[in-house]
Amino acid sequence: MTILKRLALGVVTLFFVSLIIFSAIQFLPGDFGEAVLGQAATEETVAAFRRELGLDEPAWRRYLDWVGAAATGDFGTSFSGRASSGVDRSRPVVEMISSPLKNTLFLAGMTAIVAVPLALFLGITAALWRNSIYDRVINAATLTSISFPEFFVAYVLMLFSTLWWGLSANATGINDADASILDKAYMLILPSMTLTLVIVAHMMRMTRAAIINLLASPYIEMARLKGQSSLRVILRHALPNAWAPIATVIAFNLAYLVVGVVVVEVIFAIPGAGKVMVDSVASRDIPVVQACALIFASVYILLNLAADIIGIVTNPRLLHPK
């Protein structure tokens, strides 16, 4: 019952988020019709063009049409490709964002495969040797990495990669049909390293803190009195009970990987969904902006729901409330 309540809450949250997305886009300055037709266009011409795009409809009707179609997987047709000459070369939004979204998910997945195990390893070992030189070095290094913004980390890595490692900082070839998975992974080494350095600190410190908080519990003391090693106590007794806060921070950072990679995609010229969204905002391509924002919000909500469910399943007091 608790899990069903969380799922229902997620659906309600997504509904309100869709309202916020639609409302926020309405306040964007400028107009697509005016941007395409130019300042020399008459008001009648602009009005006719807006009517052709359906922008003259009331906001509530446009919202209902959009959210109803989006629920079936139809995000409409992109405004890009429409010209003042009347030629319509626009494409479905799904077709436009499917390939960039795959690139974003590939980058996020590649980063997660490295960052999550690394953060868990560093957090567990830091808790195991708490207050040691190792623990202090790890904490100092992670705090340093988290203090710098993504663009600074990205440019520093680009500098070192060019001078020392010989890695390419340009990932535009990721859409090459002849590129294998290994080729794509090679192109995304630097962006993945940038994101790993940014997010691993959060997960590592939460893992360390959650385990240390549990080490003072009575059942941990009992396990130690039985003669079990510190590593076994942490892995067998402390870690399973620390999954709820750890899962939450992991889900939060994985959501960030999908929705917060815009800066990294722009710096490394990655043709991902974040870059497409930024370009669409600049060109006032409303259907693409709405689709990208809704997809990002859905991924964020789903990952947080997954974290909640993991926390409930691993905690009997939440799974079977009185």
Side-chain angles (χ1 to χ4, degrees), residues 4 48 65 72-73 134-135 139 142 192 211 255 281 297 309:
L4 291 178
D65 292 340
T72 64
Y134 172 82
D135 181 29
N139 276 283
T142 52
S192 180
I211 292 177
V281 170
I309 292 173

Side-chain angles (χ1 to χ4, degrees), residues 8-315:
L9 180 61
V11 174
V12 174
T13 303
L14 185 59
F15 167 72
F16 282 106
V17 168
S18 69
L19 277 175
I20 294 172
I21 291 171
F22 184 85
S23 302
I25 291 176
Q26 305 311 306
F27 290 104
L28 284 176
D31 179 80
F32 180 78
E34 295 177 354
V36 171
L37 299 177
Q39 297 180 352
T42 63
E43 293 184 4
E44 292 78 9
T45 305
V46 174
F49 194 52
R50 286 175 55 83
R51 186 163 51 251
E52 179 186 347
L53 298 176
L55 297 176
D56 62 326
E57 297 287 343
W60 64 268
R61 182 176 297 175
R62 284 186 284 121
Y63 170 75
L64 292 178
D65 292 340
W66 169 63
V67 78
T72 64
D74 180 13
F75 293 104
T77 303
S78 169
F79 288 171
S80 64
R82 297 178 184 268
S84 58
S85 62
V87 179
D88 185 2
R89 296 189 178 90
S90 57
R91 295 183 296 162
V93 174
V94 174
E95 180 182 328
M96 281 191 62
I97 66 176
S98 59
S99 179
L101 184 60
K102 290 178 182 177
N103 294 337
T104 297
L105 293 176
F106 185 84
L107 172 60
M110 178 178 170
T111 304
I113 290 174
V114 176
V116 173
L118 178 62
L120 292 176
F121 173 78
L122 293 177
I124 292 172
T125 53
L128 183 61
W129 295 299
R130 181 176 40 167
N131 296 326
S132 65
I133 296 179
Y134 172 82
D135 181 29
R136 294 173 183 175
V137 170
I138 293 299
N139 276 283
T142 52
L143 281 174
T144 302
S145 66
I146 202 175
S147 300
F148 295 115
E150 295 96 325
F151 68 88
F152 180 82
V153 177
Y155 285 127
V156 169
L157 287 178
M158 289 172 64
L159 176 63
F160 286 132
S161 67
T162 303
L163 295 179
W164 295 346
W165 305 331
L167 294 176
S168 174
N170 194 322
T172 54
I174 193 174
N175 282 333
D176 190 349
D178 297 329
S180 64
I181 295 180
L182 293 178
D183 293 333
K184 294 180 179 180
Y186 178 78
M187 296 178 195
L188 295 178
I189 288 178
L190 290 180
S192 180
M193 289 177 62
T194 301
L195 292 171
T196 298
L197 290 174
V198 171
I199 70 169
V200 75
H202 291 96
M203 295 186 288
M204 172 266 167
R205 293 180 65 81
M206 179 56 71
T207 302
R208 177 184 180 277
I211 292 177
I212 289 176
N213 287 337
L214 289 171
L215 290 179
S217 302
Y219 67 92
I220 297 294
E221 294 295 333
M222 180 61 67
R224 285 174 169 169
L225 291 174
K226 290 181 178 180
Q228 296 185 11
S229 64
S230 298
L231 181 60
R232 181 178 177 83
V233 168
I234 289 177
L235 295 180
R236 182 76 178 273
H237 301 283
L239 187 59
N241 292 282
W243 273 123
I246 294 174
T248 300
V249 75
I250 289 177
F252 177 80
N253 282 278
L254 292 182
Y256 166 79
L257 286 179
V258 178
V259 305
V261 296
V262 177
V263 174
V264 174
E265 287 184 354
V266 171
I267 291 176
F268 291 100
I270 302 172
K275 189 173 185 301
V276 169
M277 184 176 176
V278 172
D279 295 340
S280 299
V281 170
S283 63
R284 302 300 184 269
D285 196 345
I286 295 175
V288 177
V289 177
Q290 291 179 159
C292 291
L294 188 62
I295 290 173
F296 288 160
S298 300
V299 171
Y300 191 89
I301 291 172
L302 285 174
L303 287 172
N304 280 276
L305 276 176
D308 284 343
I309 292 173
I310 292 174
I312 292 171
V313 171
T314 56
N315 191 333

